[in-house]
Amino acid sequence: MYLKELQIEGFKSFGKPVTLSFPTRITGIVGPNGSGKSNVTEAFRFVLGEQSMKSLRGRRGEDLIFNGGDGASRASKASVRVTFDNTDHTLDDSFDEVTVSRTVRRDGSNEYAVNGTQVRHRDIVEMLAGVNIGATGHHIISQGEADSILNASPEERKEILEDGLGLKLLQYRRAEAEKKLERARQNIAETDLLIRELTPHMRHLKRQVERYKKARAVRTELESLYADYLARETRYIAQTTAELEPREHALARQMADAEKKVSDEKHRRAGTKDDLTPRIQQTEKKLAAVREKKDAAARELGRAEGEHSALERLGNTNTAIERKKVLELRDDIQHRAAAANQEERSRLIDYIIGRLTAFLKTDGINSAAQRHDGDAIRKEQETLRKTLERLSKEEQEITAERDRLREQQEERIGEMRKSESAVIALMDEKAKAERELSDTRRRLAVLREDETQLRRELEEGAVLVGPNIYAYKEKKVPETEQPEKREKQKERQRQLERKKIQLETIGTDSGEDAFKEHDEVKERMDFLTREKDDLLKSIADCEQCIKRVQKEVDSRFAEGIKKISGEFESFFKILFGGGTAAIITEKTKIEKDNGETEERIGVEVKVSLPRKKIRSLSQLSGGERALVSIALLFAISQVTPPPFLVLDETDAALDEANSRRYASIIEVLAKRSQLILVTHNRETMHCAGALYGITMNAAGISTLLSVQFDEAVQVAK
Ligand code: ATP
């Protein structure tokens, strides 16, 4: 990497754009006093990000912009561009050429760009720190500042050395980490405060939520108990209604039917009265009369026949009626009479028996009288027989009529008995139906009460568990072979009651708001806790990073100081022709305003001039101070060479001999860094491979021309 060119436009005295190319290791810039040479040095400082206006010899940004001159109008902005060849990619960039530019406008605003892309000031500083172009500008020594490193305090000197050693980048990182750490600590304090503020509220919400959760659990249990109870109850009521209502109708109908049947039967029976008895009695009377007549006729016939037989026996002497036959006849009549009823029998039999007995006693009839009456008796007999026949026939008819009537009467009595028992059976049936109906109605009344209770449960349940109460409609109740005992359902109801009381004791409020707030606060707490964890991790990371960086800084600084000290002594010896020189770190304790003591590390410069005994740097002459400074600055550049060094009249205070020594050191330095030397010194000019002459024209504008050594000597005058 090397410095390729510098373009200046509108910056200070450069009212017109100029481009300085740096094709050689050493470039000299010469010119008369006030021509604008130091403005070139400042252009370097400016473009590389110098923030101190003092270092740029101005008070504000506007002072850096060309102010106009005789016939030349002022510029609106000042811009400087520096271009590096980066083909070796030292500037960790993919570009082969890197142009850094800075523009300042009259309003004081600054713009930085790398290869035309706008960047932050910090990006430029960090990029350049990586190639030992530090922000303290130890590689740009402005006019009259050659001994500034000696004038600096030990702490400032330490800083210059750190910058020179390229430790700034690490220190930026450390500073970044410290800032991050500080921010993280602040954030953690804020987070802790928020957590502390939220904790009691969170505790309260947690307790509330736990209570509501318990209530939720109880409500869920209650819902399940409700679902089971209501589903079973609804089914029970539906089933029992389906069973009882038709039964009620059927029984009512059955009762009405039985009642009607009873009344029909009674009505029917009333029509079939036992009205045959008078007719039977009449027939009996008629029969008795006929039989009386018949008995009389029979008696008459018997008498006639007896008379006739007696006559015949008298008429025919040989005619005898065997006693045995008469006895047989009597027995036969007696036998038959036994079959007749009492009244008939006694009349008939007594008569016949009386006659026969009389006949047998007499044992004969006056035959003469008999013969005389024989014919009349036969005639009478004939008439009596016919009468008897007629009366028998009549008797038979009346008997048949009576028997028929009796039969009819029997039938009627049977029927009436049958009707009576039918009525009794129907009454029984009706009574049974009535009993069952009353039982059914009593059960229906209980069922209606159950229905009312179910409605009440539903209403109450809706208040306690909301619309979930209707979940019972979806609930399947297991079918059982035997309908379960009602007591079981009553037990469920009691259980339900106990759960309701439990819920009411805890509280029926669903606590939605508390849950919501709890979730929100919890989310916030979780977020804060996570944030705190992240911050703690970040703090740990930062602390570790700071420690690591500090360790590296410390070790690289200690090592660098040692190296620089060695180089310092070498250059010192060259410049002073002997003596000793060193830089050492020193710890000083500083008492702060708050009474605490702080340990600060600084860098001290120790020199011992040949042949002179000096106790401190303040005893050195101006020239000697410049030489010591140069030796130290060059030593830094030797240890960590920057790509280029700008030395603005660093050689101004040197006498001829020292100028020569200075020139010889320049040659050494140029091996590692490009040098841009603003000088009036001939020895120095000799070293330069290219020379620029700067003059100021009549309009107060610095102009640039490439010159040869002799011209340069002229221009420098
Ligand atoms: P010396 O050899 O005496 O140190 P020099 O060549 O280094 O001189 P500079 O200090 O670079 O000179 O230039 C100073 C000149 O620049 C002054 O003449 C000053 O008027 C001019 N100058 C400074 N700022 C501006 C500005 N904003 N606009 C115009 N000219 C300016």
Side-chain angles (χ1 to χ4, degrees):
M1 176 193 171
Y2 68 88
L3 182 64
K4 218 171 159 188
E5 61 182 32
L6 181 76
Q7 291 171 287
I8 312 172
E9 186 177 353
F11 184 78
K12 292 210 166 181
S13 55
F14 290 93
K16 283 197 175 142
V18 296
T19 300
L20 289 90
S21 300
F22 306 102
T24 57
R25 296 300 294 168
I26 304 173
T27 305
I29 296 174
V30 299
N33 290 133
S35 61
K37 301 186 295 299
S38 291
N39 290 344
V40 175
T41 308
E42 274 148 23
F44 271 113
R45 278 195 188 280
F46 172 76
V47 74
L48 298 178
E50 179 61 68
Q51 296 294 289
S52 152
M53 282 308 291
K54 202 175 149 217
S55 296
L56 298 171
R57 286 187 299 165
R59 276 174 290 123
R60 49 182 196 269
E62 207 176 359
D63 296 341
L64 307 178
I65 304 167
F66 177 64
N67 241 341
D70 232 1
S73 54
R74 66 180 200 156
S76 63
K77 60 178 184 181
S79 61
V80 179
R81 294 154 60 88
V82 64
T83 304
F84 298 99
D85 180 290
N86 189 38
T87 41
D88 59 0
H89 295 277
T90 311
L91 266 178
D92 189 24
D93 196 287
S94 51
F95 295 102
D96 286 344
E97 210 173 77
V98 176
T99 300
V100 177
S101 65
R102 178 180 178 181
T103 302
V104 65
R105 296 179 197 280
R106 289 211 170 264
D107 60 5
S109 63
N110 282 276
E111 271 169 30
Y112 297 88
V114 172
N115 285 349
T117 305
Q118 207 167 330
V119 293
R120 295 170 304 171
H121 169 251
R122 191 181 144 182
D123 299 323
I124 305 253
V125 171
E126 284 186 7
M127 182 179 81
L128 297 174
V131 289
N132 297 325
I133 303 177
T136 56
H138 68 279
H139 58 292
I140 301 173
I141 311 297
S142 292
Q143 192 181 358
E145 286 183 350
D147 61 351
S148 62
I149 196 160
L150 292 190
N151 296 335
S153 70
E155 284 91 38
E156 285 167 345
R157 209 176 287 132
K158 178 176 175 262
E159 210 179 315
I160 295 168
L161 284 163
E162 279 171 347
D163 196 13
L165 285 166
L167 299 178
K168 277 288 163 200
L169 202 59
L170 284 175
Q171 282 172 327
Y172 285 140
R173 274 193 213 143
R174 190 188 62 187
E176 284 293 306
E178 273 168 353
K179 266 193 220 157
K180 208 172 150 191
L181 183 66
E182 187 48 35
R183 270 200 310 274
R185 280 182 178 146
Q186 269 173 14
N187 287 344
I188 221 164
E190 283 166 20
T191 310
D192 266 339
L193 187 71
L194 288 173
I195 289 175
R196 270 204 305 281
E197 277 172 6
L198 281 178
T199 304
H201 187 45
M202 185 67 207
R203 249 200 313 269
H204 168 69
L205 286 172
K206 222 176 188 170
R207 276 200 299 273
Q208 267 193 320
V209 158
E210 264 159 28
R211 195 163 64 82
Y212 287 129
K213 267 187 188 161
K214 202 172 163 200
R216 262 189 190 180
V218 173
R219 194 177 298 111
T220 310
E221 283 177 61
L222 186 62
E223 275 172 22
S224 143
L225 287 175
Y226 260 130
D228 190 37
Y229 171 79
L230 294 172
R232 283 175 190 276
E233 192 67 3
T234 310
R235 193 180 67 173
Y236 166 78
I237 287 170
Q239 281 180 348
T240 316
T241 306
E243 179 202 337
L244 294 181
E245 277 182 354
R247 189 190 291 177
E248 185 198 17
H249 295 141
L251 286 168
R253 213 169 34 245
Q254 208 174 315
M255 241 181 82
D257 283 357
E259 209 163 57
K260 187 167 182 303
K261 275 183 195 162
V262 168
S263 110
D264 285 356
E265 189 61 35
K266 281 183 177 168
H267 188 70
R268 196 177 62 81
R269 210 171 58 197
T272 48
K273 276 191 200 147
D274 178 17
D275 54 355
L276 291 178
T277 307
R279 277 180 69 193
I280 290 170
Q281 283 171 352
Q282 209 180 351
T283 316
E284 291 276 4
K285 266 185 195 165
K286 262 165 88 184
L287 189 63
V290 170
R291 275 182 181 159
E292 209 170 317
K293 279 183 194 166
K294 198 183 139 199
D295 284 348
R299 266 192 317 271
E300 282 303 309
L301 183 60
R303 182 194 49 82
E305 275 177 347
E307 279 176 13
H308 184 251
S309 297
L311 281 179
E312 270 184 349
R313 212 169 47 233
L314 290 177
N316 189 2
T317 41
N318 293 332
T319 305
I321 299 163
E322 282 177 46
R323 189 176 176 83
K324 193 180 161 228
K325 282 194 178 177
V326 174
L327 285 171
E328 273 173 13
L329 177 64
R330 190 190 66 176
D331 292 343
D332 182 41
I333 292 164
Q334 245 172 348
H335 181 69
R336 280 173 194 272
N341 78 29
Q342 193 63 34
E343 201 185 340
E344 290 164 351
R345 189 186 64 91
S346 57
R347 275 200 308 269
L348 176 65
I349 303 299
D350 288 351
Y351 174 73
I352 293 170
I353 292 169
R355 290 283 296 197
L356 279 175
T357 309
F359 177 73
L360 287 171
K361 273 179 188 168
T362 58
D363 200 21
I365 306 158
N366 186 330
S367 58
Q370 279 172 341
R371 230 178 282 127
H372 177 73
D373 293 328
D375 290 341
I377 288 166
R378 267 190 303 270
K379 247 181 161 178
E380 192 186 357
Q381 263 184 313
E382 198 60 34
T383 309
L384 283 169
R385 270 189 201 108
K386 277 182 185 167
T387 304
L388 206 57
E389 248 172 54
R390 183 182 49 82
L391 286 171
S392 289
K393 205 177 163 203
E394 202 175 326
E395 185 194 7
Q396 260 175 17
E397 278 169 10
I398 293 168
T399 307
E401 168 70 4
R402 186 204 63 189
D403 289 349
R404 194 180 51 81
L405 284 171
R406 277 187 180 164
E407 230 168 78
Q408 259 183 26
Q409 193 180 37
E410 283 296 312
E411 250 173 54
R412 281 192 188 178
I413 288 168
E415 258 177 49
M416 275 168 76
R417 279 197 190 118
K418 242 162 84 183
S419 163
E420 192 64 39
S421 42
V423 166
I424 289 166
L426 282 169
M427 294 291 272
D428 271 357
E429 195 182 309
K430 189 192 150 199
K432 191 170 165 251
E434 200 168 6
R435 272 194 313 277
E436 279 181 27
L437 182 62
S438 133
D439 180 58
T440 305
R441 281 185 174 150
R442 186 189 50 74
R443 285 183 63 195
L444 270 168
V446 173
L447 196 65
R448 295 292 90 91
E449 272 173 34
D450 288 344
E451 254 180 329
T452 312
Q453 176 64 22
L454 176 70
R455 268 197 301 279
R456 266 205 297 273
E457 286 293 357
L458 268 170
E459 279 165 19
E460 198 183 349
V463 174
L464 287 171
V465 302
N468 285 358
I469 193 70
Y470 299 107
Y472 79 91
K473 290 186 177 174
E474 313 299 327
K475 172 102 180 163
K476 295 263 175 296
V477 177
E479 295 288 342
T480 49
E481 259 177 47
Q482 291 293 319
E484 70 166 25
K485 289 214 172 88
R486 192 73 181 126
E487 180 50 31
K488 271 197 162 180
Q489 181 71 338
K490 295 283 170 203
E491 176 49 37
R492 281 188 199 102
Q493 198 185 5
R494 284 194 287 276
Q495 212 179 338
L496 199 61
E497 288 307 316
R498 286 195 290 274
K499 207 43 82 183
K500 276 189 226 169
I501 293 167
Q502 200 183 345
L503 181 63
E504 273 159 5
T505 312
I506 304 170
T508 51
D509 184 7
S510 70
E512 283 308 318
D513 290 346
F515 274 107
K516 208 171 147 230
E517 196 182 352
H518 171 270
D519 288 351
E520 280 168 7
V521 175
K522 187 172 182 303
E523 203 178 309
R524 177 100 181 103
M525 278 290 264
D526 288 349
F527 170 75
L528 289 171
T529 313
R530 272 199 309 276
E531 195 175 60
K532 190 180 169 182
D533 288 348
D534 289 350
L535 286 168
L536 285 171
K537 196 172 166 295
S538 172
I539 285 174
D541 287 351
C542 285
E543 283 172 346
Q544 212 181 6
C545 171
I546 290 166
K547 249 190 214 156
R548 204 178 51 241
V549 169
Q550 191 55 49
K551 207 172 152 197
E552 195 178 341
V553 167
D554 289 348
S555 89
R556 276 173 64 178
F557 183 70
E559 202 184 324
I561 286 288
K562 233 159 106 186
K563 281 186 186 163
I564 291 171
S565 193
E567 291 291 336
F568 175 42
E569 191 168 54
S570 308
F571 285 125
F572 183 86
K573 280 188 165 131
I574 296 171
L575 289 171
F576 288 95
T580 57
I583 49 167
I584 49 163
T585 50
E586 264 185 5
K587 285 179 186 166
T588 44
K589 279 191 178 157
I590 300 207
E591 196 166 329
K592 293 203 290 190
D593 294 343
N594 58 10
E596 285 177 18
T597 51
E598 191 189 5
E599 196 174 68
R600 286 195 191 158
I601 298 173
V603 174
E604 282 295 346
V605 180
K606 302 278 180 198
V607 290
S608 161
L609 298 181
R611 296 173 299 280
K612 287 182 184 171
K613 276 198 177 165
I614 53 148
R615 280 192 304 280
S616 75
L617 291 175
S618 57
Q619 291 176 316
L620 295 174
S621 76
E624 282 168 343
R625 281 179 72 80
L627 284 174
V628 172
S629 289
I630 289 162
L632 186 51
L633 288 171
F634 288 4
I636 299 170
S637 301
Q638 268 305 87
V639 172
T640 47
F644 65 94
L645 273 167
V646 182
L647 304 172
D648 191 347
E649 297 193 40
T650 318
D651 51 5
L654 306 183
D655 58 19
E656 216 179 308
N658 277 335
S659 292
R660 270 200 297 279
R661 286 182 189 134
Y662 177 82
S664 69
I665 295 174
I666 291 287
E667 301 280 358
V668 175
L669 282 183
K671 286 200 173 75
R672 296 204 165 176
S673 304
Q674 266 178 287
L675 300 177
I676 291 99
L677 309 170
V678 177
T679 187
H680 290 282
N681 195 310
R682 286 169 65 95
E683 292 300 331
T684 310
M685 280 186 224
H686 265 301
C687 301
L691 284 165
Y692 284 107
I694 292 182
T695 55
M696 189 168 269
N697 68 15
I701 295 173
S702 296
T703 50
L704 181 76
L705 57 153
S706 195
V707 291
Q708 295 306 309
F709 177 73
D710 292 339
E711 287 172 295
V713 176
Q714 283 305 310
V715 170
K717 279 184 181 165

